[in-house]
Amino acid sequence: MKIGIVGTGMVGSTAAYAMVLRGVGREIVMVDVNKKRAQAEADDIFHAIPFAHSLEVQAGDYGDLSGSRVVILTAGVSLKPGESRLQLLERNAAIFADVVPQVLQYAPDAVLLVATNPVDIMTHLAARYAGEHGVPPSRVIGSGTTLDTARFRVLLGRHLAVDPQHIHGYVIGEHGDSEVLTWSLVTVGGMPLAEFCRQHGVVIDEAVQREIDHRVRDAAYAIVDGKGATYYGIGAALARISDAILKDQRAILTICTPVAEVAGVCDVTISLPHLLGADGAVASFPLPFSSEEEAQLQASAQVVCNAIEELDAMAGAQPGGKE
């Protein structure tokens, strides 16, 4: 089972390394405009094989993506300190217009997994470009709020002194400032959060919720400020998503993919819990959010929708652009 990675910066390379450690797939092909960097990263990761799982890791060109079941797109420019993800939009849109057709030329049956930020909008654009080649939207997904959900669960787990794998709660909406932490749906070992706290004498009041919300929502900004970029968490998330696709696991993950309508906002790409399998996003799940969370989701979806409309308006204003 072959996995392609286009973009061998820290996110793409860390994703490949995480796959080697987890034993995801059988072959990884790393593609980058900087071929020297791609070769160096592939060699370095390949040297970890004796200590992990036996995979083939190599650098290549777009043609070497042939036969890939998943192609991860991390190509693009990185988030700068103090820059919002939405500010990345204009700089990364043109890159995808070039990359997506080249990937599909050689890997027409692959699921495209987008990690480039702002991931909701880049996934929407990737689906648009892929649609011109007959690829259904369900086969174009983004990492979305998979990492945000993990941050939510791990911080809750630390506060509750519980393994986060036994905590279920979702972060939905935009992967960014307007994302929504669905506190009303959190369960611990199948038990509603409030009941678990009552039984175990743990306090999660409004102050604790605000602190966790802040640390989830602003995690990337704090990490970028401290070391320049985030890559370990998202690299592991991309490995997990790829594994679910390759093994047709029917896992429920908060990836993003184009949807016709959500919370009254039409034709938008945001994160919701999706059933994920070999063909990409198989189904989504309408969850019983609180009325406040529903309103927050609508606002978050509108943020992404507005950005897409602004991008389309920008493209139309360019010489030769659509009117």
Side-chain angles (χ1 to χ4, degrees), residues 85-89 92 116-123 175:
R85 288 179 174 84
L86 292 181
Q87 288 174 311
L88 287 172
L89 176 57
N92 279 331
T116 303
N117 276 318
V119 69
D120 316 279
I121 301 162
M122 300 311 299
T123 303
H175 171 58

Side-chain angles (χ1 to χ4, degrees), residues 99-117:
V99 166
V100 172
Q102 292 193 74
V103 169
L104 292 176
Q105 180 180 351
Y106 298 102
D109 298 322
V111 173
L112 301 185
L113 171 52
V114 179
T116 303
N117 276 318

Side-chain angles (χ1 to χ4, degrees), residues 68-315:
S68 295
R69 294 271 303 280
V70 179
V71 176
I72 301 172
L73 305 181
T74 72
V77 290
S78 301
L79 188 71
K80 296 178 179 178
E83 181 182 39
S84 74
R85 288 179 174 84
L86 292 181
Q87 288 174 311
L88 287 172
L89 176 57
E90 186 174 4
R91 297 194 292 147
N92 279 331
I95 295 174
F96 266 42
D98 177 62
V99 166
V100 172
Q102 292 193 74
V103 169
L104 292 176
Q105 180 180 351
Y106 298 102
D109 298 322
V111 173
L112 301 185
L113 171 52
V114 179
T116 303
N117 276 318
V119 69
D120 316 279
I121 301 162
M122 300 311 299
T123 303
H124 195 88
L125 294 177
R128 181 182 293 176
Y129 302 143
E132 296 172 357
H133 296 265
V135 176
S138 59
R139 267 184 38 217
V140 183
I141 66 175
S143 55
T145 56
T146 306
L147 177 55
D148 308 87
T149 293
R151 288 167 174 160
F152 186 25
R153 294 178 180 181
V154 79
L155 288 171
L156 269 174
R158 177 181 288 173
H159 185 80
L160 300 172
V162 172
D163 180 347
Q165 294 190 51
H166 299 287
I167 296 173
H168 284 83
Y170 301 110
V171 177
I172 59 173
E174 176 205 7
H175 171 58
D177 298 339
S178 70
E179 64 191 22
V180 183
L181 279 65
T182 58
W183 285 97
S184 70
L185 301 177
V186 174
T187 61
V188 184
M191 186 183 303
L193 177 61
E195 179 61 18
F196 179 90
C197 290
R198 187 188 68 78
Q199 290 191 19
H200 293 269
V202 180
V203 175
I204 295 190
D205 54 17
E206 289 186 5
V208 173
Q209 289 190 16
R210 283 196 301 270
E211 174 63 18
I212 291 176
D213 185 287
H214 169 73
R215 294 185 64 189
V216 171
R217 195 180 304 277
D218 293 342
Y221 297 123
I223 294 169
V224 169
D225 183 59
K227 68 172 195 173
T230 66
Y231 37 87
Y232 293 128
I234 187 59
L238 292 169
R240 174 69 184 95
I241 296 168
S242 299
D243 199 32
I245 295 169
L246 293 179
K247 295 177 180 176
D248 194 21
Q249 287 181 342
R250 317 290 281 191
I252 298 175
L253 298 170
T254 51
I255 53 94
C256 63
T257 194
V259 292
E261 183 272 336
V262 60
V265 180
C266 298
D267 187 24
V268 69
T269 298
I270 60 168
S271 294
L272 295 167
H274 279 85
L275 191 66
L276 193 61
D279 295 322
V282 178
S284 62
F285 299 92
L287 297 173
F289 307 122
S290 69
S291 57
E292 181 180 2
E293 290 163 352
E294 184 77 19
Q296 291 172 345
L297 177 60
Q298 182 182 51
S300 187
Q302 194 61 57
V303 167
V304 177
C305 184
N306 290 345
I308 293 169
E309 290 175 351
E310 289 172 8
L311 176 64
D312 288 343
M314 260 194 313

Side-chain angles (χ1 to χ4, degrees), residues 47-73:
H47 298 161
I49 293 297
F51 311 107
H53 292 267
S54 183
L55 277 71
E56 180 65 34
V57 184
Q58 60 185 344
D61 295 314
Y62 284 103
D64 297 304
L65 296 175
S66 177
S68 295
R69 294 271 303 280
V70 179
V71 176
I72 301 172
L73 305 181

